[in-house]
Amino acid sequence: LDCGPAGMRRLFRDLGPLFEEWIELKIADAPPTMSEEEFSKMLQDFLTLKEKEQSRVSKSSRSGLAINGDELIQALDIPEGKALGDILRALEELILDEPSLNSTEILIEKARELWSERSSEH
């Protein structure tokens, strides 16, 4: 229950519809070495952050990215396949860490860098 905004967004992504059940599990499995007061404070902080990040996530597009695979194919001539999927996942991780980078221009530039690195490895 101790995470920052990026960690919270990763929990949303990874747990999906099981998020609420996960919270219940964490409550049931409260650390025995932590006082009830400490745990209650940590839980309240976590739930406050959850509400804040849910609000932010709900305002973004379904995937969270300001760009999709078709746009990357068109802009950078990246073929469909594993490389494209890897680049999209890397961009998703990037905006989980830093949501302010979620713009079409920035993501195309980041994808260009990733594609260039990947192409130079082969």
Side-chain angles (χ1 to χ4, degrees), residues 13-103:
R13 179 198 64 200
D14 296 345
L15 295 171
L18 298 175
F19 187 84
E20 295 301 324
E21 286 86 355
W22 179 84
I23 292 174
E24 290 176 23
L25 175 67
K26 295 305 263 182
I27 292 170
D29 193 34
T33 57
M34 185 179 279
S35 74
E36 205 171 305
E37 214 173 86
E38 289 174 297
F39 184 77
S40 180
K41 168 81 170 93
M42 183 172 49
L43 177 61
Q44 189 55 51
D45 291 346
F46 180 84
L47 294 175
T48 299
L49 178 61
K50 171 188 168 253
E51 293 302 318
K52 179 181 174 189
E53 290 306 311
Q54 273 182 324
S55 174
R56 178 187 295 200
V57 168
S58 70
K59 292 176 185 172
S60 67
S61 68
R62 185 167 172 248
S63 73
L65 288 175
I67 193 167
N68 63 37
D70 291 336
E71 291 166 310
L72 287 179
I73 290 169
Q74 189 173 37
L76 303 176
D77 199 28
I78 299 173
E80 285 189 49
K82 183 179 179 337
L84 179 61
D86 290 347
I87 290 170
L88 286 168
R89 279 187 290 285
L91 295 176
E92 288 172 351
E93 286 295 317
L94 179 71
I95 66 159
L96 284 172
D97 287 332
E98 190 53 56
S100 66
L101 299 178
N102 195 18
S103 77

